[in-house]
Amino acid sequence: MASQKMLGFVHTAQKMPDKRTAEERRQDFAEIYARFTDQRANEQANRCSQCGVPFCQVHCPVSNNIPDWLKLTAEGRLEEAYETSQATNNFPEICGRICPQDRLCEGNCVIEQSTHGAVTIGSVEKYINDTAWEQGWVKPRTPVRELGLSVGIVGAGPAGLAAAEELRAKGYEVHVYDRHDRMGGLLVYGIPGFKLEKDVVGRRVQLLADAGVIFHPNFEIGRDASLADLRDRHVSVLIATGVYKARDIKAPGCGLKNIVPALDYLTTSNKVSLGDSVAAFEDGSLNANGKKVVVLGGGDTAMDCVRTAIRQGATSVKCLYRRDRKNMPGSQREVAHAEEEGVEFVWQAAPEGFTGDDVVTGVRAVRIHLGVADATGRQTPQVIEGSAFTEEADLVIKALGFEPEDLPGAFGAPDLTTTRWGTLLVDHRTKMTSLDGVFAAGDIVRGASLVVWAIRDGRDAAEAMHAYAQAETERVALAVAAE
């Protein structure tokens, strides 16, 4: 009976003329949606068990006070929840969108472990901080006093920007140098807009500018200045360039046209979405529209590529990965999203060559058997004899991971020591490289990793740079006094 009354009410409402203007209807919908979002956030926050050992916090790289801001959210104290959320994380609304929570906080939630489904921590974090922006609670962190010292940061990705905010708040004049025309690094050019809206990154960059951080876009170390020049200008320098060099595959046919690196493909897509004109997109070479797309790799970058190709109008999208689903290095949630959107996964398949005369027409691959586990605990891939097959492809995207560029050569700094993997060698207690006063943080130290780890590294590096600058100031003062 109740449902029949409701149905009658709906029919009556549909017949009644809507005298509201379009703007009034939009505002009414926004209010209804906001109430729904409030309700969902409170429901999820109330599910937190406030357990004795907050495993969600333990497994968060920036040690977010997750139980505390969930409790505040459940009580409707959103501004306090925001203050708690941003106390340990420079970009909480970004992490709420792109962190692999299923591998970190949510994957270690006590409720998740009891098979009742994790608290949706990431969604609540996003909601809290988006609300903070809407309500005007987010303010630039300006220093109480200026120190009269400047620092230089090479790279405007998450590590560099996190360090910039921390150092500016301490009173340093902060200069950020980046070779791209926009600040944000992979946040802007590497992560698709459907996962991370670019205006979300842009407002953070503007907040730093409002705090007094000085940005130098289109500035390349080794071309516009050497690392030595920066060391002369600043009391200390942070290298936070990330790792951009794509891992390649050496196989017959690898030089055919339309076999492209993942970052080239994603950067082009993001530039187009930002309104830039990109010739490689317009001529179709970096555009999946109407193509059969094959993506090689199993990490989050591969998931970004397959989901972007779907949105560009590819006729089919397949992902080849040499291990099985449970061994995927990327987020399982991302894999599920990709499957829902129509991506086909070809598990335990490894490419061994490419077909085509001038332009690629297919990927030759073999089936893989996962053998005995190696020293890392992962099963060793073994080729199954006679299992070769070919996947048709008009566009092949290589998402096989990233390696560091030759920074000592590019920066004109041969004394800048690297590890055998090409990453910068640092003292992990002080974050300092082999060059006095030169620090490093993020992927250029740990290798390709998560945004949240880059934020943590940037915050730690800022503390180390501050300690170094204070020690240097004291040393100079003592030397002057001794004269």
Side-chain angles (χ1 to χ4, degrees), residues 90-112:
N90 300 81
F91 316 121
E93 74 281 4
I94 291 176
C95 288
R97 285 168 163 82
I98 64 173
C99 261
Q101 288 94 2
D102 56 327
R103 284 155 47 193
L104 299 172
C105 54
E106 293 179 17
N108 292 279
C109 173
V110 168
I111 299 176
E112 169 71 7

Side-chain angles (χ1 to χ4, degrees), residues 179-199:
R179 62 184 172 184
H180 294 104
D181 56 343
R182 296 180 179 91
M183 300 297 119
L186 288 178
L187 297 177
V188 171
Y189 290 124
I191 299 175
F194 58 81
K195 284 176 61 177
L196 176 59
E197 308 93 315
K198 302 314 168 188
D199 60 332

Side-chain angles (χ1 to χ4, degrees), residues 143-220:
V144 176
R145 65 184 180 91
E146 300 289 348
L147 298 178
L149 299 170
S150 73
V151 294
I153 297 175
V154 183
L161 293 181
E165 182 173 41
E166 295 301 312
L167 289 164
R168 180 63 192 137
K170 295 179 187 299
Y172 292 91
E173 180 183 285
V174 180
H175 292 258
V176 179
Y177 305 90
D178 196 275
R179 62 184 172 184
H180 294 104
D181 56 343
R182 296 180 179 91
M183 300 297 119
L186 288 178
L187 297 177
V188 171
Y189 290 124
I191 299 175
F194 58 81
K195 284 176 61 177
L196 176 59
E197 308 93 315
K198 302 314 168 188
D199 60 332
V200 171
V201 181
R203 68 188 180 187
R204 271 290 168 186
V205 173
Q206 185 59 52
L207 190 76
L208 294 181
D210 293 343
V213 175
I214 302 165
F215 291 106
H216 302 269
N218 299 308
F219 194 106
E220 189 168 339

Side-chain angles (χ1 to χ4, degrees), residues 257-260 264-265 268-269 272 276-291 312 359 394-395:
K257 293 178 182 177
N258 286 5
I259 301 176
V260 301
D264 289 358
Y265 174 69
T268 296
S269 176
V272 170
D276 293 353
S277 177
V278 183
F281 183 84
E282 293 169 359
D283 68 19
S285 56
L286 289 175
N287 184 353
N289 185 43
K291 292 186 172 71
Q312 287 182 348
V359 178
D394 303 313
L395 175 64

Side-chain angles (χ1 to χ4, degrees), residues 214-289:
I214 302 165
F215 291 106
H216 302 269
N218 299 308
F219 194 106
E220 189 168 339
I221 310 303
R223 182 192 66 193
D224 301 299
S226 66
L227 183 59
D229 293 332
L230 264 58
R231 295 177 71 191
D232 290 339
R233 295 179 195 177
H234 306 293
V235 65
S236 66
V237 174
L238 174 67
I239 300 175
T241 56
V243 290
Y244 281 83
K245 182 181 176 183
R247 286 188 186 140
D248 211 345
I249 179 172
K250 300 297 183 183
C254 63
L256 292 170
K257 293 178 182 177
N258 286 5
I259 301 176
V260 301
L263 192 54
D264 289 358
Y265 174 69
L266 293 173
T267 299
T268 296
S269 176
N270 280 313
K271 284 188 173 183
V272 170
S273 70
L274 287 164
D276 293 353
S277 177
V278 183
F281 183 84
E282 293 169 359
D283 68 19
S285 56
L286 289 175
N287 184 353
N289 185 43

Side-chain angles (χ1 to χ4, degrees), residues 63 78 91 104 159 190 195 220 251 269 286 295 307 313 368 380-381 392 394 421 433-434 440 450:
S63 300
L78 277 186
F91 316 121
L104 299 172
K195 284 176 61 177
E220 189 168 339
S269 176
L286 289 175
V295 176
R307 298 183 68 196
I368 296 295
T380 305
E392 293 184 19
D394 303 313
W421 299 282
T433 68
S434 56
L450 302 175

